[in-house]
Amino acid sequence: MDCIFCKIMKGEAPADIYYEDDHAIAFLDANPANVGHTLVIPKKHFETIDKMNKIELDKLSEAILKISKGIMTIADGMNIIQNNKEVAGQAVPHVHFHLVPRYKGDGYSLGWKREKKITKKENNEFLKKLKEVKI
Ligand code: AMP
Ligand code: ZN
């Protein structure tokens, strides 16, 4: 499979991997938003988070938690971002969590405008659909 993150995981493509366990690796993002911007990925290839099962996500969470503790001792804060599908900004189709250290005065603010007027009807339709799928 031609997946850049699978290649990094197998050592077939370069990356600054700084954490590894049986289920996950973490490495620095090649195009970082801030110093220490880290990607945590499962070793197994899943395109999106919904393809994972609970155990697989639990294992990944262990790595995310460890790295979060490290980042939070160094930085002033942190954003965790996880994109699924192109429409949501996913460029690499292998599940990854962005752990972005935040530093006072770094000048970022998250870009959710919250200007959409969502009606009660739209919310109810969404909740009705959600009830119909098995989650
Ligand atoms: P996303 O838009 O959520 O799919 O994020 C993909 C991230 O992967 C981007 O922040 C890229 O900078 C990063 N990225 C892509 N290729 C590499 C690579 N070879 N090594 C490290 N980071 C990468
Ligand atoms: Zn992959």
Side-chain angles (χ1 to χ4, degrees):
M1 189 189 306
D2 197 29
C3 168
I4 182 64
F5 287 178
C6 281
K7 283 187 179 154
I8 287 173
M9 191 268 295
K10 291 181 204 151
E12 294 167 3
D16 295 312
I17 299 174
Y18 72 83
Y19 173 87
E20 177 168 11
D21 62 30
D22 288 345
H23 307 277
I25 61 168
F27 52 95
L28 296 176
D29 195 295
N31 188 23
N34 251 341
V35 177
H37 182 163
T38 296
L39 300 175
V40 186
I41 70 166
K43 284 187 168 176
K44 201 170 156 191
H45 181 95
F46 304 95
E47 186 179 339
T48 50
I49 195 169
D50 52 299
K51 306 292 187 223
M52 302 179 76
N53 67 30
K54 182 184 179 303
I55 294 168
E56 290 155 348
L57 189 57
D58 277 354
K59 301 284 185 195
L60 186 60
S61 298
E62 281 179 27
I64 292 168
L65 185 57
K66 279 185 187 166
I67 293 155
S68 293
K69 286 176 188 286
I71 288 177
M72 290 299 287
T73 62
I74 298 165
D76 301 315
M78 174 180 64
N79 291 115
I80 296 184
I81 300 161
Q82 200 273 318
N83 302 321
N84 296 281
K85 295 282 188 187
E86 212 178 323
V87 69
Q90 184 180 19
V92 178
H94 180 132
V95 165
H96 51 283
F97 282 74
H98 295 256
L99 274 59
V100 185
R102 295 298 304 272
Y103 305 101
K104 280 179 192 146
D106 65 17
Y108 287 116
S109 63
L110 286 187
W112 302 100
K113 289 211 179 86
R114 317 282 178 100
E115 285 167 354
K116 281 181 192 281
K117 296 277 171 273
I118 309 294
T119 63
K120 216 172 178 60
K121 185 168 173 276
E122 285 173 307
N123 277 340
N124 287 341
E125 274 165 12
F126 174 83
L127 293 175
K128 188 169 172 279
K129 282 182 196 160
L130 201 58
K131 260 189 189 167
E132 283 161 11
V133 292
K134 280 204 166 65
I135 55 170

